[in-house]
Amino acid sequence: MSGFLSTEDLPEDYRDLKATVADFARTVVAPVAAQHDRDHTFPYDVVKGMADMGLFGLPFPEEYGGMGGDYFALCLALEELGKVDQSVAITLEAAVSLGAMPIHRFGTEEQKQEWLPRLASGQALGGFGLTEPGAGSDAGGTTTTAVLDGDEWVINGAKQFITNSGTDITALVTVAAVTGTDAAGRKQISTIIVPSGTPGFEVGPAYDKVGWNASDTHPLSFTDVRVPRENLLGEKGRGYANFLRILDEGRIAIAALAVGVAQGCVDECVRYAKERSAFGRPIGDNQSVAFTIARMQARAYTARTAYYDAAALMLSGKPFKRQASIAKMIASEAAMDNARDGTQVHGGYGFMNEYTVSRHYRDSKILEIGEGTTEVQLMLIARDLGL
């Protein structure tokens, strides 16, 4: 991928991927989405289907069991899944960009050989243990600690809001922990791989959330958890810096998911506006309804352009932090705005949970919070401008 590409100009392999995932989303994901949302159940069959398609291995090299694709391919898949079910889309996004990508980017050869084949195949999921009850973007607030005792790390602390951390196929959580202080007395943050089932590693009850009800999210606690010294991921003291790189990439993926939501709301509204009649004619004949949907399409198009541009910069090796923040902010706001307008277009039916726009209305708010709030994105953009 080089330079800006519109959807119509995508190379054939990207177009084929989009079409394949779109068909899967329509025929496999959509029919069970409302039930999983209603029951708050993790969609294991859907996840297996995505695994069989190779979606969990899209951006990873074939030597580690991946598909040999790139991050943009992952984004295209997330956009198509996001149109019909955000819970399924975030399960894939978190598994790849937060669970497996840190090991791919910063792991030793031994760590890659041990973990990536399982994660890339979708047979296992990984979690990303950064956020704590009193710390998220604020690294200085991290209180989880890891202390070397001989050849083992001893970890104590807690994490919260951790996606894919409590499923039957969760294999590990990468934990950010304080491992000392630097020369200036600041906390030294490192990251350590903690396999599921390690004594002292406890997964709390699933959260009762406003949305993303089929996504697996738990608080975690670590009480004298011991793992081998070799489980350090990346250099000691570089954990937070490495996580920031992962979050920069992840913002492009979240933007792609949000674009799928924004476009999905447009598609649902176009269909509904043609089918639903009031006062003897389709409601889409009313200019107010047509203009509302037209504005929704403009938001989706603008957001897609932003994430395509950020992805192109990332894959070409150029600085992309500002563009990733812009894409994430624009796309998450587009998703939220389109979900609200889409619900309004559907009228009373938009307030019924079986309609996709109603789930998007509940689900979309977190897109403006996760992977850095809108306010954090504004801070990063301003900082990059020298302000």
Side-chain angles (χ1 to χ4, degrees), residues 61-65 100 102-118 193 230-235:
E62 294 179 9
E63 64 183 293
Y64 299 117
I103 295 174
H104 174 56
R105 295 281 188 221
F106 311 116
T108 64
E109 184 60 29
E110 290 76 13
Q111 289 170 339
K112 293 178 184 178
Q113 292 288 351
E114 179 179 0
W115 295 110
L116 277 184
R118 291 175 63 198
I193 298 171
E230 293 75 22
N231 282 29
L232 178 71
L233 182 61
E235 296 179 27

Side-chain angles (χ1 to χ4, degrees), residues 248-259:
D248 285 340
E249 296 177 355
R251 284 170 185 140
I252 302 175
I254 291 294
L257 191 164
V259 167

